Amino acid sequence: MTTTLLRTAADLHARVRHGRRAVVMTMGALHEGHATLVRAARGIAGPDGEVVVTVFVNPLQFGAGEDLDRYPRTLDADLKIAEEAGADVVFAPSVDEVYPGGAPQVRVSAGPMGERLEGASRPGHFDGMLTVVAKLLHLTRPDVALYGQKDAQQLALIRRMVRDLNFGVEIVGVATVREDDGLALSSRNRYLSPEERRTALALSQALFAGRDRHAAQEALRARAREVPATRARAEALSAIGESRAAADTHAVVKAVPGSAAAVRAAARLVLDEAARLTPPLVLDYLALVDPADFTDIDDDFTGEAVLAVAARVGSTRLIDNLPLTFGAAS
């Protein structure tokens, strides 16, 4: 397969379409995480459909002092990765093509969800992101668009925009791709020195610690439901690492589907240790939130949640997250 490079929407619209068009939006500097998205798009589009990869470094979503100027531009390498992953087209428009006449006066607002976590740390970022996603959805006219779950808040906002504003497109999230040491793949990883990278591993390690604590709590709760409400029940719960006070049947089954506070605490312990490393990890936020609105969850929460972290190591800011399910069975 030879991937076609297109620079204008007119050229893209002139292509004869067969089957479904699946779009993967990127800012370039493609890596295996992007390639995974493209392969997933290929699977959805099928052999008769079309996969389009957009490469556009969007100036609207970079704030003052952020890395717009030094953001890597590697179009030749991007074309090769996109082609190997199965893309039919790489659409790499200029700023003038996307924003003719300059920055748009009318933009998409991310609303209250866009002001939390990443939005609080990067004011205006999500407004700029949603504006360019809306533009690129119109320019590429896909049936389905795929985004990585590493940017969980971004994915949630895109889904909300598509639902609230009646975009006729299906949004698909694709699981985060990690390197062998657990670090989530990111174009910004290339900025890390070897020492900084060792410190940066604390992000994924903190998430894994929180996940493990959550799994232990859910196992305890499941065991509590299985053991008869007798002294044997308390003894069984105690045997898997809980105190007899905490093993009270009523407390375990009714009070705590899986304590959010304990999950946060397990992750925080790893991050606190990383703050004492050289170079140190400088935490921006650690949050356990409801993916519907990215508000913090309480200890009695049941359903899907996201454990999210953002931190800076040296001059590089990194994010990561893991999905968790609380109280999966009752």
Side-chain angles (χ1 to χ4, degrees):
M1 173 184 291
T2 299
T3 299
T4 302
L5 174 64
L6 299 178
R7 295 286 194 172
T8 70
D11 288 339
L12 183 59
H13 297 166
R15 288 177 64 88
V16 177
R17 294 179 61 165
H18 301 283
R20 304 182 80 195
R21 175 177 284 175
V23 165
V24 174
M25 295 183 186
T26 83
M27 292 207 299
L30 301 190
H31 50 63
E32 180 56 27
H34 298 108
T36 298
L37 287 168
V38 177
R39 287 192 291 269
R42 183 78 271 162
I44 290 172
D48 298 326
E50 183 178 59
V51 174
V52 177
V53 176
T54 70
V55 174
F56 180 68
V57 181
N58 178 35
L60 296 191
Q61 64 195 73
F62 287 81
E66 293 189 334
D67 54 357
L68 173 60
D69 290 338
R70 73 165 183 156
Y71 197 88
R73 274 81 166 173
T74 57
L75 185 57
D76 289 343
D78 295 344
L79 279 166
K80 182 177 180 181
I81 291 173
E83 184 169 276
E84 291 174 350
D88 297 290
V89 174
V90 167
F91 176 53
S94 67
V95 173
D96 288 340
E97 177 72 13
V98 177
Y99 301 122
Q105 295 186 32
V106 177
R107 308 187 185 196
V108 179
S109 170
M113 196 195 323
E115 298 172 357
R116 300 174 185 132
L117 300 187
E118 284 298 291
S121 298
R122 306 175 66 189
H125 166 73
F126 285 126
D127 291 354
M129 179 276 295
L130 289 178
T131 298
V132 79
V133 167
K135 291 275 290 186
L136 289 172
L137 287 175
H138 290 315
L139 291 172
T140 60
R141 303 174 183 175
D143 299 289
V144 58
L146 296 88
Y147 302 89
Q149 291 178 351
K150 184 179 79 73
D151 297 297
Q153 193 172 2
Q154 169 179 285
L155 175 58
L157 282 162
I158 292 170
R159 282 178 165 150
R160 189 61 185 256
M161 177 184 73
V162 165
R163 182 170 67 249
D164 287 355
L165 300 184
N166 300 103
F167 281 71
V169 61
E170 178 187 356
I171 303 299
V172 173
V174 177
T176 300
V177 178
R178 299 185 179 278
E179 301 195 39
D180 291 342
D181 57 10
L183 189 67
L185 282 175
S186 169
S187 301
R188 291 188 169 94
N189 290 353
R190 69 186 66 195
Y191 300 148
L192 298 169
S193 69
E195 295 78 13
E196 289 170 341
R197 185 186 173 86
R198 284 194 289 271
T199 296
L201 292 176
L203 274 77
S204 57
Q205 290 167 353
L207 297 178
F208 298 156
R211 178 196 60 192
D212 291 346
R213 178 57 181 162
H214 169 263
Q217 290 177 151
E218 291 293 332
L220 171 64
R221 185 168 180 266
R223 184 70 178 272
R225 290 193 305 271
E226 295 170 0
V227 180
T230 62
R231 179 175 179 178
R233 178 176 198 149
E235 291 173 349
L237 292 169
S238 181
I240 58 174
E242 297 293 325
S243 68
R244 291 182 183 275
D248 174 77
T249 299
H250 188 66
V252 171
V253 176
K254 294 196 72 175
V256 194
S259 171
V263 172
R264 292 186 186 99
R268 171 74 69 166
L269 183 63
V270 175
L271 297 169
D272 287 346
E273 291 175 354
R276 296 188 287 271
L277 297 176
T278 303
L281 180 142
V282 180
L283 182 65
D284 187 344
Y285 62 76
L286 170 70
L288 186 54
V289 298
D290 183 342
D293 57 11
F294 271 69
T295 57
D296 290 332
I297 67 169
D298 298 321
D299 279 341
D300 60 354
F301 178 87
T302 59
E304 300 298 317
V306 173
L307 181 61
V309 63
R312 190 173 295 277
V313 181
S315 61
T316 304
R317 187 175 183 276
L318 300 170
I319 63 172
D320 201 351
N321 72 84
L322 278 180
L324 300 174
T325 302
F326 285 78
S330 59

